[in-house]
């Protein structure tokens, strides 16, 4: 019987297993976080974008099927239309297997992709072609139990040398937001 190699694209698009999704959703509900924009998270995303000089920043929570950006900053938006521009800016909902945050949640550690096209696993992700994302920097929001509640991230449509400073920044800001979430700083 001849060997038929598996389809490379199918192998590379495999989204990491996430057996914690139901427990994560329950924990987020306990913390008063559901699928709605949270103004404090939007403000946090705006500050994250400013600090990293990135055009897009998110506070992201992931369930079994999709991702929801409770905090979102999109530099291309019209400020009068709110945090999401209905005429084509970044939206609040994305399929679970689109983007890179699912990998951060599964790994429970920060992920730096200065040019996503340098990594076969990430270069074929739909956001690369559909949105033009070329660079990603993200960190998990870890519960004291070690469960990843979600992520914070910044993306750019050009390669970015995030470097060690970028990694330190994203990890520090993730730790700060995690503490705010656990203290219940956002509205329930």
């Amino acid at each position: 019987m001849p060997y038929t190699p598996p389809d490379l694209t199918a192998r590379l698009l495999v989204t990491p297993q996430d057996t914690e999704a139901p427990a994560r959703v329950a924990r987020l509900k306990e913390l008063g976080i559901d699928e709605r924009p949270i103004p404090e998270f939007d403000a946090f995303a705006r500050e994250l974008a400013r600090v990293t000089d990135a055009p897009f920043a998110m506070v992201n929570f992931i369930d079994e099927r999709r991702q929801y950006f409770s905090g979102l900053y999109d530099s291309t938006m019209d400020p009068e239309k709110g945090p999401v521009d209905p005429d084509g800016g970044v939206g609040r909902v994305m399929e679970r297997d689109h983007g890179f945050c699912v990998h951060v949640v599964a790994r429970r550690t920060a992920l730096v992709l200065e040019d996503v096209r340098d990594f076969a696993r990430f270069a074929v992700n739909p956001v690369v072609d559909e949105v033009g994302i070329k660079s990603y920097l993200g960190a998990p929001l870890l519960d004291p139990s070690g469960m990843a509640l979600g992520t914070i991230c910044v993306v750019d449509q050009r390669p970015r040398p995030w470097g060690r400073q970028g990694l330190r920044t994203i990890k520090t800001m993730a730790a700060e937001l995690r503490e705010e979430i656990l203290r219940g700083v956002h509205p329930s």
Side-chain angles (χ1 to χ4, degrees):
M1 182 183 313
Y3 171 73
T4 305
D7 177 27
L8 179 61
T9 303
R11 251 186 325 136
L12 295 175
L13 286 177
V14 173
T15 304
Q17 288 288 339
D18 185 9
T19 58
E20 287 187 337
R24 180 174 45 258
V25 170
R27 178 68 174 130
L28 290 169
K29 284 183 183 176
E30 288 173 10
L31 294 167
I33 298 171
D34 55 16
E35 287 194 2
R36 64 187 162 88
I38 298 178
E40 291 85 352
F41 292 171
D42 283 339
F44 180 89
R46 186 178 317 106
E47 179 63 9
L48 179 60
R50 186 192 69 73
V51 167
T52 60
D53 191 32
F56 305 98
M58 289 73 105
V59 176
N60 186 17
F61 299 102
I62 302 168
D63 67 18
E64 298 94 335
R65 298 177 340 273
R66 58 194 202 161
Q67 304 178 56
Y68 186 79
F69 303 119
S70 286
L72 176 63
Y73 174 79
D74 174 354
S75 66
T76 65
M77 72 180 176
D78 177 346
E80 293 186 15
K81 294 181 180 179
V84 178
D85 181 348
D87 298 325
V90 173
R92 294 249 183 209
V93 178
M94 188 165 66
E95 292 297 318
R96 185 177 174 279
D97 62 349
H98 287 52
F100 313 106
C101 288
V102 294
H103 297 274
V104 172
V105 166
R107 295 163 27 126
R108 293 184 183 92
T109 188
L111 178 62
V112 179
L113 300 170
E114 294 183 345
D115 188 335
V116 298
R117 298 165 301 178
D118 290 342
F119 303 89
R121 163 173 233 130
F122 301 115
V124 296
N125 194 286
V127 298
V128 175
D129 291 329
E130 294 172 17
V131 186
I133 299 304
K134 302 289 187 292
S135 184
Y136 172 90
L137 176 64
L141 298 167
L142 296 175
D143 189 64
S145 70
M147 176 191 311
L149 298 172
T151 67
I152 65 168
C153 70
V154 292
V155 297
D156 203 332
Q157 292 173 315
R158 62 183 173 87
R160 291 284 300 270
W162 301 111
R164 289 179 193 238
Q165 181 58 44
L167 181 59
R168 272 193 298 275
T169 298
I170 200 83
K171 289 168 112 178
T172 299
M173 291 191 75
E176 290 170 7
L177 184 59
R178 176 199 113 145
E179 292 307 312
E180 288 182 27
I181 289 170
L182 295 176
R183 283 194 319 264
V185 170
H186 61 284
S188 324

